[in-house]
PDB file of all heavy atoms in Angstrom:
ATOM      1  N   LEU A 446      97.352 -55.259 -50.426  1.00 98.00           N
ATOM      2  CA  LEU A 446      96.956 -54.659 -49.153  1.00 98.00           C
ATOM      3  C   LEU A 446      98.193 -54.284 -48.352  1.00 98.00           C
ATOM      4  O   LEU A 446      99.230 -54.942 -48.440  1.00 98.00           O
ATOM      5  CB  LEU A 446      96.108 -55.644 -48.345  1.00 98.00           C
ATOM      6  CG  LEU A 446      94.788 -56.089 -48.996  1.00 98.00           C
ATOM      7  CD1 LEU A 446      94.150 -57.219 -48.197  1.00 98.00           C
ATOM      8  CD2 LEU A 446      93.815 -54.910 -49.132  1.00 98.00           C
ATOM      9  N   GLY A 447      98.063 -53.222 -47.569  1.00 98.00           N
ATOM     10  CA  GLY A 447      99.130 -52.812 -46.666  1.00 98.00           C
ATOM     11  C   GLY A 447      98.597 -52.774 -45.242  1.00 98.00           C
ATOM     12  O   GLY A 447      97.487 -52.288 -45.004  1.00 98.00           O
ATOM     13  N   VAL A 448      99.367 -53.323 -44.308  1.00 98.00           N
ATOM     14  CA  VAL A 448      98.996 -53.297 -42.884  1.00 98.00           C
ATOM     15  C   VAL A 448     100.200 -52.785 -42.090  1.00 98.00           C
ATOM     16  O   VAL A 448     101.311 -52.721 -42.620  1.00 98.00           O
ATOM     17  CB  VAL A 448      98.608 -54.704 -42.369  1.00 98.00           C
ATOM     18  CG1 VAL A 448      97.343 -55.216 -43.058  1.00 98.00           C
ATOM     19  CG2 VAL A 448      99.745 -55.702 -42.550  1.00 98.00           C
ATOM     20  N   ALA A 449      99.958 -52.444 -40.832  1.00 98.00           N
ATOM     21  CA  ALA A 449     101.070 -51.941 -40.027  1.00 98.00           C
ATOM     22  C   ALA A 449     101.737 -53.061 -39.237  1.00 98.00           C
ATOM     23  O   ALA A 449     102.948 -53.040 -39.012  1.00 98.00           O
ATOM     24  CB  ALA A 449     100.577 -50.854 -39.068  1.00 98.00           C
ATOM     25  N   THR A 450     100.951 -54.029 -38.787  1.00 98.00           N
ATOM     26  CA  THR A 450     101.498 -55.037 -37.883  1.00 98.00           C
ATOM     27  C   THR A 450     101.286 -56.453 -38.416  1.00 98.00           C
ATOM     28  O   THR A 450     100.425 -56.698 -39.262  1.00 98.00           O
ATOM     29  CB  THR A 450     100.818 -54.968 -36.492  1.00 98.00           C
ATOM     30  OG1 THR A 450      99.455 -55.415 -36.628  1.00 98.00           O
ATOM     31  CG2 THR A 450     100.820 -53.555 -35.932  1.00 98.00           C
ATOM     32  N   LEU A 451     102.047 -57.347 -37.843  1.00 98.00           N
ATOM     33  CA  LEU A 451     101.925 -58.763 -38.154  1.00 98.00           C
ATOM     34  C   LEU A 451     100.511 -59.252 -37.866  1.00 98.00           C
ATOM     35  O   LEU A 451      99.884 -59.944 -38.677  1.00 98.00           O
ATOM     36  CB  LEU A 451     102.926 -59.498 -37.252  1.00 98.00           C
ATOM     37  CG  LEU A 451     103.236 -60.950 -37.500  1.00 98.00           C
ATOM     38  CD1 LEU A 451     103.746 -61.145 -38.915  1.00 98.00           C
ATOM     39  CD2 LEU A 451     104.285 -61.405 -36.490  1.00 98.00           C
ATOM     40  N   GLU A 452      99.992 -58.875 -36.701  1.00 98.00           N
ATOM     41  CA  GLU A 452      98.660 -59.339 -36.281  1.00 98.00           C
ATOM     42  C   GLU A 452      97.584 -58.881 -37.268  1.00 98.00           C
ATOM     43  O   GLU A 452      96.675 -59.639 -37.589  1.00 98.00           O
ATOM     44  CB  GLU A 452      98.325 -58.823 -34.875  1.00 98.00           C
ATOM     45  CG  GLU A 452      99.147 -59.454 -33.757  1.00 98.00           C
ATOM     46  CD  GLU A 452     100.607 -59.010 -33.730  1.00 98.00           C
ATOM     47  OE1 GLU A 452     100.943 -57.946 -34.312  1.00 98.00           O
ATOM     48  OE2 GLU A 452     101.438 -59.738 -33.146  1.00 98.00           O
ATOM     49  N   GLU A 453      97.716 -57.659 -37.745  1.00 98.00           N
ATOM     50  CA  GLU A 453      96.742 -57.165 -38.730  1.00 98.00           C
ATOM     51  C   GLU A 453      96.789 -58.003 -40.003  1.00 98.00           C
ATOM     52  O   GLU A 453      95.752 -58.307 -40.609  1.00 98.00           O
ATOM     53  CB  GLU A 453      97.032 -55.694 -39.070  1.00 98.00           C
ATOM     54  CG  GLU A 453      96.688 -54.731 -37.938  1.00 98.00           C
ATOM     55  CD  GLU A 453      97.094 -53.279 -38.227  1.00 98.00           C
ATOM     56  OE1 GLU A 453      97.862 -53.037 -39.198  1.00 98.00           O
ATOM     57  OE2 GLU A 453      96.658 -52.381 -37.482  1.00 98.00           O
ATOM     58  N   GLY A 454      97.994 -58.388 -40.395  1.00 98.00           N
ATOM     59  CA  GLY A 454      98.151 -59.213 -41.602  1.00 98.00           C
ATOM     60  C   GLY A 454      97.554 -60.600 -41.399  1.00 98.00           C
ATOM     61  O   GLY A 454      96.837 -61.116 -42.263  1.00 98.00           O
ATOM     62  N   ILE A 455      97.831 -61.196 -40.235  1.00 98.00           N
ATOM     63  CA  ILE A 455      97.333 -62.551 -39.950  1.00 98.00           C
ATOM     64  C   ILE A 455      95.804 -62.556 -39.919  1.00 98.00           C
ATOM     65  O   ILE A 455      95.152 -63.459 -40.442  1.00 98.00           O
ATOM     66  CB  ILE A 455      97.930 -63.070 -38.615  1.00 98.00           C
ATOM     67  CG1 ILE A 455      99.444 -63.276 -38.773  1.00 98.00           C
ATOM     68  CG2 ILE A 455      97.259 -64.366 -38.179  1.00 98.00           C
ATOM     69  CD1 ILE A 455     100.187 -63.600 -37.488  1.00 98.00           C
ATOM     70  N   GLU A 456      95.254 -61.497 -39.343  1.00 98.00           N
ATOM     71  CA  GLU A 456      93.794 -61.390 -39.277  1.00 98.00           C
ATOM     72  C   GLU A 456      93.172 -61.438 -40.687  1.00 98.00           C
ATOM     73  O   GLU A 456      92.158 -62.099 -40.910  1.00 98.00           O
ATOM     74  CB  GLU A 456      93.436 -60.072 -38.583  1.00 98.00           C
ATOM     75  CG  GLU A 456      92.000 -59.969 -38.125  1.00 98.00           C
ATOM     76  CD  GLU A 456      91.668 -58.554 -37.666  1.00 98.00           C
ATOM     77  OE1 GLU A 456      92.473 -57.966 -36.899  1.00 98.00           O
ATOM     78  OE2 GLU A 456      90.627 -58.031 -38.089  1.00 98.00           O
ATOM     79  N   LEU A 457      93.810 -60.746 -41.619  1.00 98.00           N
ATOM     80  CA  LEU A 457      93.289 -60.743 -42.992  1.00 98.00           C
ATOM     81  C   LEU A 457      93.440 -62.109 -43.657  1.00 98.00           C
ATOM     82  O   LEU A 457      92.551 -62.568 -44.379  1.00 98.00           O
ATOM     83  CB  LEU A 457      93.981 -59.666 -43.827  1.00 98.00           C
ATOM     84  CG  LEU A 457      93.682 -58.222 -43.410  1.00 98.00           C
ATOM     85  CD1 LEU A 457      94.527 -57.247 -44.215  1.00 98.00           C
ATOM     86  CD2 LEU A 457      92.209 -57.891 -43.580  1.00 98.00           C
ATOM     87  N   ARG A 458      94.559 -62.771 -43.406  1.00 98.00           N
ATOM     88  CA  ARG A 458      94.743 -64.124 -43.945  1.00 98.00           C
ATOM     89  C   ARG A 458      93.669 -65.058 -43.391  1.00 98.00           C
ATOM     90  O   ARG A 458      93.085 -65.850 -44.116  1.00 98.00           O
ATOM     91  CB  ARG A 458      96.126 -64.663 -43.572  1.00 98.00           C
ATOM     92  CG  ARG A 458      97.253 -64.061 -44.367  1.00 98.00           C
ATOM     93  CD  ARG A 458      97.366 -64.695 -45.759  1.00 98.00           C
ATOM     94  NE  ARG A 458      98.487 -64.126 -46.492  1.00 98.00           N
ATOM     95  CZ  ARG A 458      98.364 -63.261 -47.502  1.00 98.00           C
ATOM     96  NH1 ARG A 458      97.173 -62.872 -47.906  1.00 98.00           N
ATOM     97  NH2 ARG A 458      99.418 -62.797 -48.128  1.00 98.00           N
ATOM     98  N   LYS A 459      93.412 -64.942 -42.082  1.00 98.00           N
ATOM     99  CA  LYS A 459      92.390 -65.803 -41.467  1.00 98.00           C
ATOM    100  C   LYS A 459      91.013 -65.520 -42.040  1.00 98.00           C
ATOM    101  O   LYS A 459      90.151 -66.387 -42.070  1.00 98.00           O
ATOM    102  CB  LYS A 459      92.359 -65.600 -39.944  1.00 98.00           C
ATOM    103  CG  LYS A 459      93.533 -66.268 -39.231  1.00 98.00           C
ATOM    104  CD  LYS A 459      93.403 -66.105 -37.728  1.00 98.00           C
ATOM    105  CE  LYS A 459      94.480 -66.885 -36.997  1.00 98.00           C
ATOM    106  NZ  LYS A 459      94.613 -66.440 -35.594  1.00 98.00           N
ATOM    107  N   ALA A 460      90.815 -64.279 -42.495  1.00 98.00           N
ATOM    108  CA  ALA A 460      89.530 -63.914 -43.104  1.00 98.00           C
ATOM    109  C   ALA A 460      89.463 -64.385 -44.562  1.00 98.00           C
ATOM    110  O   ALA A 460      88.485 -64.117 -45.256  1.00 98.00           O
ATOM    111  CB  ALA A 460      89.323 -62.409 -43.024  1.00 98.00           C
ATOM    112  N   GLY A 461      90.526 -65.043 -45.013  1.00 98.00           N
ATOM    113  CA  GLY A 461      90.490 -65.658 -46.341  1.00 98.00           C
ATOM    114  C   GLY A 461      91.050 -64.794 -47.469  1.00 98.00           C
ATOM    115  O   GLY A 461      90.917 -65.143 -48.638  1.00 98.00           O
ATOM    116  N   LEU A 462      91.686 -63.678 -47.122  1.00 98.00           N
ATOM    117  CA  LEU A 462      92.245 -62.818 -48.172  1.00 98.00           C
ATOM    118  C   LEU A 462      93.596 -63.380 -48.600  1.00 98.00           C
ATOM    119  O   LEU A 462      94.461 -63.619 -47.763  1.00 98.00           O
ATOM    120  CB  LEU A 462      92.368 -61.386 -47.648  1.00 98.00           C
ATOM    121  CG  LEU A 462      90.981 -60.768 -47.448  1.00 98.00           C
ATOM    122  CD1 LEU A 462      90.957 -59.809 -46.303  1.00 98.00           C
ATOM    123  CD2 LEU A 462      90.526 -60.111 -48.739  1.00 98.00           C
ATOM    124  N   ASP A 463      93.758 -63.601 -49.910  1.00 97.00           N
ATOM    125  CA  ASP A 463      94.995 -64.262 -50.320  1.00 97.00           C
ATOM    126  C   ASP A 463      95.856 -63.426 -51.268  1.00 97.00           C
ATOM    127  O   ASP A 463      96.749 -63.933 -51.912  1.00 97.00           O
ATOM    128  CB  ASP A 463      94.687 -65.647 -50.904  1.00 97.00           C
ATOM    129  CG  ASP A 463      93.780 -65.553 -52.112  1.00 97.00           C
ATOM    130  OD1 ASP A 463      93.477 -64.416 -52.531  1.00 97.00           O
ATOM    131  OD2 ASP A 463      93.372 -66.604 -52.637  1.00 97.00           O
ATOM    132  N   CYS A 464      95.591 -62.131 -51.334  1.00 98.00           N
ATOM    133  CA  CYS A 464      96.433 -61.266 -52.178  1.00 98.00           C
ATOM    134  C   CYS A 464      97.751 -60.967 -51.463  1.00 98.00           C
ATOM    135  O   CYS A 464      97.943 -61.335 -50.315  1.00 98.00           O
ATOM    136  CB  CYS A 464      95.692 -59.970 -52.485  1.00 98.00           C
ATOM    137  SG  CYS A 464      95.432 -58.986 -51.013  1.00 98.00           S
ATOM    138  N   GLN A 465      98.637 -60.261 -52.152  1.00 98.00           N
ATOM    139  CA  GLN A 465      99.889 -59.851 -51.500  1.00 98.00           C
ATOM    140  C   GLN A 465      99.590 -58.861 -50.382  1.00 98.00           C
ATOM    141  O   GLN A 465      98.815 -57.921 -50.570  1.00 98.00           O
ATOM    142  CB  GLN A 465     100.817 -59.183 -52.514  1.00 98.00           C
ATOM    143  CG  GLN A 465     101.544 -60.175 -53.392  1.00 98.00           C
ATOM    144  CD  GLN A 465     102.737 -59.532 -54.101  1.00 98.00           C
ATOM    145  OE1 GLN A 465     103.260 -58.494 -53.684  1.00 98.00           O
ATOM    146  NE2 GLN A 465     103.169 -60.158 -55.174  1.00 98.00           N
ATOM    147  N   ILE A 466     100.208 -59.081 -49.235  1.00 98.00           N
ATOM    148  CA  ILE A 466     100.046 -58.157 -48.109  1.00 98.00           C
ATOM    149  C   ILE A 466     101.424 -57.714 -47.634  1.00 98.00           C
ATOM    150  O   ILE A 466     102.277 -58.546 -47.322  1.00 98.00           O
ATOM    151  CB  ILE A 466      99.277 -58.821 -46.939  1.00 98.00           C
ATOM    152  CG1 ILE A 466      97.882 -59.274 -47.389  1.00 98.00           C
ATOM    153  CG2 ILE A 466      99.166 -57.855 -45.749  1.00 98.00           C
ATOM    154  CD1 ILE A 466      97.063 -59.984 -46.304  1.00 98.00           C
ATOM    155  N   LEU A 467     101.618 -56.413 -47.597  1.00 98.00           N
ATOM    156  CA  LEU A 467     102.889 -55.849 -47.134  1.00 98.00           C
ATOM    157  C   LEU A 467     102.719 -55.338 -45.706  1.00 98.00           C
ATOM    158  O   LEU A 467     101.756 -54.632 -45.405  1.00 98.00           O
ATOM    159  CB  LEU A 467     103.298 -54.682 -48.055  1.00 98.00           C
ATOM    160  CG  LEU A 467     104.577 -53.928 -47.718  1.00 98.00           C
ATOM    161  CD1 LEU A 467     105.818 -54.818 -47.847  1.00 98.00           C
ATOM    162  CD2 LEU A 467     104.748 -52.709 -48.642  1.00 98.00           C
ATOM    163  N   VAL A 468     103.650 -55.727 -44.825  1.00 98.00           N
ATOM    164  CA  VAL A 468     103.641 -55.208 -43.455  1.00 98.00           C
ATOM    165  C   VAL A 468     104.514 -53.951 -43.446  1.00 98.00           C
ATOM    166  O   VAL A 468     105.714 -54.023 -43.697  1.00 98.00           O
ATOM    167  CB  VAL A 468     104.179 -56.251 -42.453  1.00 98.00           C
ATOM    168  CG1 VAL A 468     104.178 -55.693 -41.034  1.00 98.00           C
ATOM    169  CG2 VAL A 468     103.354 -57.536 -42.521  1.00 98.00           C
ATOM    170  N   LEU A 469     103.898 -52.812 -43.168  1.00 98.00           N
ATOM    171  CA  LEU A 469     104.605 -51.529 -43.276  1.00 98.00           C
ATOM    172  C   LEU A 469     105.473 -51.244 -42.053  1.00 98.00           C
ATOM    173  O   LEU A 469     106.438 -50.493 -42.112  1.00 98.00           O
ATOM    174  CB  LEU A 469     103.594 -50.391 -43.470  1.00 98.00           C
ATOM    175  CG  LEU A 469     102.697 -50.523 -44.713  1.00 98.00           C
ATOM    176  CD1 LEU A 469     101.517 -49.565 -44.623  1.00 98.00           C
ATOM    177  CD2 LEU A 469     103.481 -50.281 -45.985  1.00 98.00           C
ATOM    178  N   GLY A 470     105.115 -51.824 -40.921  1.00 97.00           N
ATOM    179  CA  GLY A 470     105.906 -51.639 -39.703  1.00 97.00           C
ATOM    180  C   GLY A 470     107.127 -52.535 -39.711  1.00 97.00           C
ATOM    181  O   GLY A 470     107.313 -53.354 -40.614  1.00 97.00           O
ATOM    182  N   ASN A 471     107.958 -52.389 -38.692  1.00 97.00           N
ATOM    183  CA  ASN A 471     109.213 -53.139 -38.649  1.00 97.00           C
ATOM    184  C   ASN A 471     109.067 -54.400 -37.812  1.00 97.00           C
ATOM    185  O   ASN A 471     108.654 -54.329 -36.664  1.00 97.00           O
ATOM    186  CB  ASN A 471     110.293 -52.245 -38.039  1.00 97.00           C
ATOM    187  CG  ASN A 471     111.625 -52.435 -38.708  1.00 97.00           C
ATOM    188  OD1 ASN A 471     111.707 -53.006 -39.800  1.00 97.00           O
ATOM    189  ND2 ASN A 471     112.680 -51.969 -38.076  1.00 97.00           N
ATOM    190  N   LEU A 472     109.422 -55.551 -38.385  1.00 97.00           N
ATOM    191  CA  LEU A 472     109.447 -56.803 -37.616  1.00 97.00           C
ATOM    192  C   LEU A 472     110.906 -57.060 -37.260  1.00 97.00           C
ATOM    193  O   LEU A 472     111.773 -57.006 -38.127  1.00 97.00           O
ATOM    194  CB  LEU A 472     108.884 -57.947 -38.453  1.00 97.00           C
ATOM    195  CG  LEU A 472     107.487 -57.703 -39.038  1.00 97.00           C
ATOM    196  CD1 LEU A 472     107.039 -58.903 -39.866  1.00 97.00           C
ATOM    197  CD2 LEU A 472     106.477 -57.403 -37.945  1.00 97.00           C
ATOM    198  N   ILE A 473     111.151 -57.315 -35.980  1.00 93.00           N
ATOM    199  CA  ILE A 473     112.558 -57.281 -35.577  1.00 93.00           C
ATOM    200  C   ILE A 473     113.163 -58.597 -35.114  1.00 93.00           C
ATOM    201  O   ILE A 473     114.361 -58.699 -34.987  1.00 93.00           O
ATOM    202  CB  ILE A 473     112.804 -56.213 -34.482  1.00 93.00           C
ATOM    203  CG1 ILE A 473     111.881 -56.451 -33.300  1.00 93.00           C
ATOM    204  CG2 ILE A 473     112.626 -54.814 -35.049  1.00 93.00           C
ATOM    205  CD1 ILE A 473     112.257 -55.625 -32.082  1.00 93.00           C
ATOM    206  N   ASN A 474     112.334 -59.607 -34.805  1.00 94.00           N
ATOM    207  CA  ASN A 474     112.993 -60.839 -34.363  1.00 94.00           C
ATOM    208  C   ASN A 474     112.559 -62.033 -35.188  1.00 94.00           C
ATOM    209  O   ASN A 474     111.649 -61.952 -36.002  1.00 94.00           O
ATOM    210  CB  ASN A 474     112.773 -61.073 -32.865  1.00 94.00           C
ATOM    211  CG  ASN A 474     111.304 -61.178 -32.523  1.00 94.00           C
ATOM    212  OD1 ASN A 474     110.545 -61.794 -33.272  1.00 94.00           O
ATOM    213  ND2 ASN A 474     110.907 -60.567 -31.422  1.00 94.00           N
TER     214      ASN A 474
END
Side-chain angles (χ1 to χ4, degrees):
L446 299 171
V448 295
T450 69
L451 191 57
E452 290 71 20
E453 288 175 347
I455 293 172
E456 195 190 314
L457 293 174
R458 285 281 182 254
K459 285 183 174 164
L462 291 147
D463 60 5
C464 66
Q465 281 196 21
I466 300 178
L467 178 65
V468 179
L469 301 165
N471 218 16
L472 306 179
I473 55 168
N474 59 40

